[in-house]
Amino acid sequence: QVQLVESGGGLVQAGGSLRLSCAASGLTFRRYAVGWFRQAPGKERELVATISSLGSTYYADSMKGRFTISRDNDKKTAYLQMNSLTPEDTAVYYCAAGSRGGSYTTMNQYDYWGQGTQVTVSS
């Protein structure tokens, strides 16, 4: 069975950094695009960044220059390096994997989802 397990969340002060990990099992990871999404309290889930099976990346505008998505196919793990964090980045962060093709910028393009990891940025 397919599992995506996020880790690396926690409490950090504004201006700090965190690196999230998404460990995959039960799928041919290298064939899947991976996306990171986040959901803040009372808000809809939104795209953070994507990385294709070939390593092409895409970032939501507010994340450009601060966040970096990457993947290690040998470890079946994707990462999200987050720098210059602000309280507005507080959310549950989810990783997702998809192989349907397309831009991978919308939730319905993904087949599998993790349970999420909480990121809290204090001011």
Side-chain angles (χ1 to χ4, degrees):
Q1 107 223 27
V2 175
Q3 278 194 314
L4 299 177
V5 179
E6 301 97 336
S7 62
L11 174 64
V12 64
Q13 288 189 330
S17 299
L18 283 174
R19 187 175 85 152
L20 306 183
S21 298
C22 172
S25 61
L27 77 169
T28 307
F29 182 71
R30 68 179 183 276
R31 296 180 180 173
Y32 282 75
V34 175
W36 283 97
F37 291 76
R38 69 184 185 184
Q39 188 165 17
K43 295 187 177 181
E44 292 187 352
R45 195 170 298 189
E46 64 174 349
L47 174 70
V48 174
T50 69
I51 185 165
S52 73
S53 60
L54 297 179
S56 298
T57 59
Y58 173 87
Y59 298 90
D61 286 343
S62 63
M63 274 52 106
K64 287 179 182 177
R66 299 191 301 128
F67 292 7
T68 303
I69 189 171
S70 61
R71 64 189 297 157
D72 184 331
N73 289 337
D74 290 336
K75 295 183 178 179
K76 296 186 178 181
T77 301
Y79 304 96
L80 184 69
Q81 176 68 42
M82 306 187 294
N83 299 327
S84 302
L85 288 163
T86 73
E88 289 67 39
D89 295 313
T90 294
V92 178
Y93 284 70
Y94 300 89
C95 69
S99 63
R100 304 179 187 185
S103 65
Y104 294 106
T105 56
T106 59
M107 293 174 56
N108 62 7
Q109 293 176 304
Y110 290 88
D111 303 299
Y112 305 106
W113 289 82
Q115 294 295 312
T117 185
Q118 176 71 48
V119 171
T120 303
V121 184
S122 63
S123 57

